[in-house]
Amino acid sequence: MIRIITDSTCEAPAALLHHPAVSVLPLSVVFGQTSLRDGIDITREQFWQRLPTADPLPTTSQATPGDFLALFTQFTAAGDEVIAVTLSAKLSGTYDSAISARNSLPGNAPIDVIDSRTISVGLGLMLQEATAMVEAGASRDAIVAQLIRMREKIHIIFVLETLEYLQRGGRI
């Protein structure tokens, strides 16, 4: 079986995120001294409820190499192949964590790690395509090639309701 690993920045329907071939590694959201696993310890709704009164603003922390290594080891020991598709390396170190975990395994481990170069819905579209291809019986190589083609065509455009959090966080 081919397993698809992504991270919790992926926006996709719940049925897709809970597909038997899919595993979602949570990033951490840190409010002060409290670290919460995205999608496990805190929902998106809870995050948005807490944000207006958060002082300081929350930060995030990437999935660790150990997080990836645990899944890589579990899946390859079962004879599965793995494709890990992460949020953009320009936005997080999650891709580097996956590469580090992959590099700690023997050179012939059946694992590909892809920098999606996107986030959110863009990552969800890639997950949807990969899962459909797994169900259709495509090879790991074919799925990886398709995801690399897709990432060149996905462009995310968004509008902010307020610039307040960018200003408070020092981004503008």
Side-chain angles (χ1 to χ4, degrees):
M1 175 178 203
I2 298 174
R3 303 289 190 140
I4 311 297
I5 300 172
T6 192
D7 59 70
S8 62
T9 67
C10 180
E11 288 288 338
L16 182 59
L17 295 172
H18 293 97
H19 187 281
V22 173
S23 296
V24 179
L25 284 177
L27 274 64
S28 295
V29 179
V30 182
F31 280 92
Q33 299 299 315
T34 305
S35 180
L36 305 165
R37 294 170 297 164
D38 182 26
I40 297 172
D41 302 322
I42 188 169
T43 65
R44 298 268 162 81
E45 293 78 18
Q46 291 168 329
F47 172 85
W48 291 114
Q49 287 172 353
R50 289 180 71 168
L51 185 61
T53 59
D55 188 23
L57 286 177
T59 59
T60 59
S61 181
Q62 67 202 36
T64 68
D67 295 332
F68 282 100
L69 186 59
L71 288 179
F72 289 171
T73 302
Q74 174 189 342
F75 294 150
T76 57
D80 294 336
E81 298 176 82
V82 179
I83 302 170
V85 188
T86 69
L87 77 152
S88 175
K90 291 181 180 180
L91 300 174
S92 170
T94 299
Y95 170 77
D96 292 332
S97 289
I99 290 293
S100 177
R102 167 63 188 90
N103 290 343
S104 72
L105 295 171
N108 61 352
I111 301 168
D112 286 289
V113 179
I114 300 171
D115 174 359
S116 70
R117 298 185 186 164
T118 190
I119 192 169
S120 187
V121 175
L123 188 52
L125 291 170
M126 293 177 79
L127 178 64
Q128 181 178 21
E129 180 71 12
T131 304
M133 290 181 76
V134 165
E135 289 177 347
S139 70
R140 188 175 95 240
D141 288 342
I143 296 168
V144 168
Q146 175 62 12
L147 294 178
I148 290 171
R149 282 189 298 271
M150 279 185 78
R151 78 178 177 191
E152 303 307 320
K153 297 178 182 179
I154 294 174
H155 303 282
I156 302 297
I157 298 172
F158 62 95
V159 177
L160 300 173
E161 185 175 315
T162 177
L163 297 176
E164 174 186 356
Y165 303 110
L166 291 176
Q167 189 274 330
R168 283 179 54 196
R171 301 287 183 196
I172 58 170

